[in-house]
Amino acid sequence: MVDLGDYVLRFTFHNQPAMDNTQKNIINTFIDQFGEPPAFVVRAPGRVNLIGEHTDYNDGFVLPLAIERAIWIAARPRADRIVQLHSLDWEETAVFSLTHLQKESGWIEYVKGVAWALQTADLETAGWEGVISGDIPQGAGLSSSAALELAAARVFQAVAGWPWQPIRMAQLSQQAENEWVGVNCGIMDQLIVAAGQGGHALLIDCRHLTTTAVPLPPTTTVVILDTATRRGLVDSAYNERRQQCEATAAFFGVAALRDVAYDTLTAAEPSLTPLHYRRARHVITENERTQQAAAAMQQGDAHRLGQLMNESHASLRDDFEVSGPELNSMVKIAQAQPGCYGARMTGAGFGGCAVALVASDRVETFVTAVAHQYQQSTSLTPHIYISQASEGTAVVP
Ligand code: GLA
């Protein structure tokens, strides 16, 4: 008999206690350190992507939602140009000067990188001090880095007082990650973390940076299935996929694979290597699936959404080749359960998480069965998270 409590960490937005425990901890630590309550607290959520994978850097479509797990910072302004931040999770205090930003290493580089990006955009940056903590599992593909960046951006905004513009802040946070931290990610994670909407996923057009909020189908629950695997080579494989996509777009003489129609691709098959053909086929069909998924959600059609998620997984596994044995095993087990509309790997891939859409009244049996069967087939203990769609980055009351 599998004990549900071993696997499920439940976060139900509407029934959440008035103040989250992590938030309470940082406020208490802040009071211990500074002798008074913080001037404000910011919250930046993690994210899970329902469908639209490896499409953002091809100027395509994605359909993520912000989750209830988040990073919180309690802070107050300082009179000088120093940022001092104590991390409860890393058990260390980091300090840097806004006047002389210098690249070093560690978690603080995400904060420093955001300060750098704000400065390059001519936005005023002023000193502050505070305490940070979060409950987004790291390295699981739930965007703890983007959450850290956007939490930092929100603090800089609150201290300096310029208007909060979620899309612009997402772009500057992406620039921080690309150019300061050195990770070549697309815009999806930062944009959903900045602009998420409670109860909704966002259809994001990654070329025009426009968003459309779409509700989750009624009586369905999003279940995040962490395979408990992490892969070291994700970054190099990710960059390699990007290059393959860019080379194929260049072959067609267009800015990005978004501009290539499916028929144009199939007509060109003899001129492409099988590998480039398959990579492009994933991106082009995934863009189509993602827009169809948003339409299915508008109609409350959980069956259609689930079917598209299943197709997305097959395409990521066979054509884009970014899944892995544990992710495939998890998805297969999830898809076979009663009440599961669909399941797929989510995020960059190789290891990390899958996502499933499950009938709300079947969630408990689903979780128990998936946890048990996954453990039997891989000898790994999964972590399973149930999350409503939460709000994007904000100063919390
Ligand atoms: C990572 C990147 C995103 C996106 C996904 C794959 O999460 O940060 O920009 O490319 O992989 O869809």
Side-chain angles (χ1 to χ4, degrees):
M1 176 68 191
V2 177
D3 176 6
L4 205 63
D6 287 352
Y7 301 104
V8 191
L9 296 158
R10 265 175 193 282
F11 283 80
T12 311
F13 189 66
H14 299 292
N15 299 333
Q16 245 176 316
M19 198 187 276
D20 192 282
N21 276 342
T22 316
Q23 192 182 339
K24 235 183 263 168
N25 282 347
I26 56 163
I27 292 176
N28 289 338
T29 311
F30 188 99
I31 294 171
D32 286 350
Q33 283 201 1
F34 300 108
E36 63 171 12
F40 55 87
V41 176
V42 303
R43 171 187 179 275
R47 69 96 186 90
V48 66
N49 190 19
L50 278 184
I51 192 164
E53 217 66 81
H54 290 275
T55 45
D56 61 351
Y57 54 81
N58 290 297
D59 278 1
F61 296 87
V62 294
L63 192 51
L65 51 99
I67 59 174
E68 286 152 301
R69 294 188 159 234
I71 285 177
W72 284 261
I73 300 179
R76 69 175 183 187
R78 284 174 65 118
D80 56 15
R81 296 196 40 77
I82 299 292
V83 171
Q84 181 187 311
L85 188 54
H86 179 71
S87 164
L88 292 184
D89 307 323
W90 296 99
E91 294 180 347
E92 88 186 6
T93 302
V95 184
F96 65 89
S97 163
L98 289 164
T99 313
H100 303 288
L101 291 174
Q102 273 180 352
K103 274 192 202 177
E104 285 155 302
S105 61
W107 59 273
I108 197 65
E109 294 311 299
Y110 293 89
V111 179
K112 220 188 271 176
V114 167
W116 166 80
L118 295 172
Q119 289 179 2
T120 58
D122 284 332
L123 286 162
E124 185 199 335
T125 51
W128 50 273
E129 56 200 0
V131 180
I132 184 169
S133 183
D135 59 11
I136 308 170
Q138 284 179 19
L142 299 177
S143 287
S144 58
S145 317
L148 176 51
E149 289 152 10
L150 267 303
R154 199 70 171 99
V155 175
F156 281 113
Q157 181 275 331
V159 170
W162 30 264
W164 176 253
Q165 296 175 302
I167 292 175
R168 186 161 187 228
M169 289 303 121
Q171 287 176 295
L172 292 173
S173 296
Q174 183 200 12
Q175 190 188 344
E177 181 138 356
N178 291 167
E179 295 175 38
W180 190 273
V181 179
V183 174
N184 205 13
C185 63
I187 190 69
M188 169 170 70
D189 304 345
Q190 286 79 9
L191 195 42
I192 185 64
V193 168
Q197 286 190 29
H200 292 75
L202 286 191
L203 175 67
I204 302 173
D205 176 332
C206 297
R207 169 168 285 168
H208 300 111
L209 301 186
T210 47
T211 63
T212 311
V214 281
L216 288 167
T219 66
T220 61
T221 297
V222 172
V223 183
I224 300 166
L225 305 161
D226 186 345
T227 58
T229 56
R230 307 287 182 256
R231 292 283 181 269
L233 292 174
V234 179
D235 282 355
S236 57
Y238 185 89
N239 290 338
E240 188 186 69
R241 296 301 183 283
R242 280 191 77 139
Q243 280 156 15
Q244 292 162 348
C245 291
E246 283 158 17
T248 314
F251 167 85
F252 284 104
V254 293
L257 282 180
R258 177 208 180 110
D259 302 312
V260 181
Y262 185 71
D263 290 348
T264 310
L265 176 73
T266 50
E269 185 176 0
S271 317
L272 290 167
T273 69
L275 183 135
H276 286 86
Y277 179 74
R278 280 187 284 116
R279 299 293 189 256
R281 183 166 61 185
H282 165 72
V283 173
I284 293 165
T285 58
E286 184 79 350
N287 275 332
E288 185 56 37
R289 279 188 291 273
T290 304
Q291 292 173 87
Q292 286 183 19
M297 287 174 77
Q298 302 277 21
Q299 289 156 12
D301 189 344
H303 286 282
R304 178 73 185 133
L305 175 58
Q307 186 187 12
L308 291 161
M309 290 169 73
N310 292 343
E311 288 171 15
S312 168
H313 184 77
S315 179
L316 287 157
R317 182 192 60 208
D318 303 335
D319 275 357
F320 216 63
E321 295 177 282
V322 288
S323 190
E326 297 87 0
L327 275 169
N328 290 338
S329 165
M330 182 70 97
V331 166
K332 200 169 166 192
I333 291 167
Q335 287 172 343
Q337 303 306 319
C340 178
Y341 293 107
R344 55 181 286 277
M345 56 150 276
T346 185
F350 301 99
C353 291
V355 61
L357 186 72
V358 182
S360 299
D361 59 357
R362 297 294 187 99
V363 166
E364 294 211 354
T365 45
F366 172 85
V367 167
T368 311
V370 170
H372 180 65
Q373 291 174 30
Y374 178 75
Q375 197 161 29
Q376 294 254 301
S377 87
T378 62
S379 302
L380 292 163
T381 304
H383 301 286
I384 301 184
Y385 309 103
I386 296 166
S387 183
Q388 306 285 317
S390 92
E391 298 290 337
T393 303
V395 174
V396 293

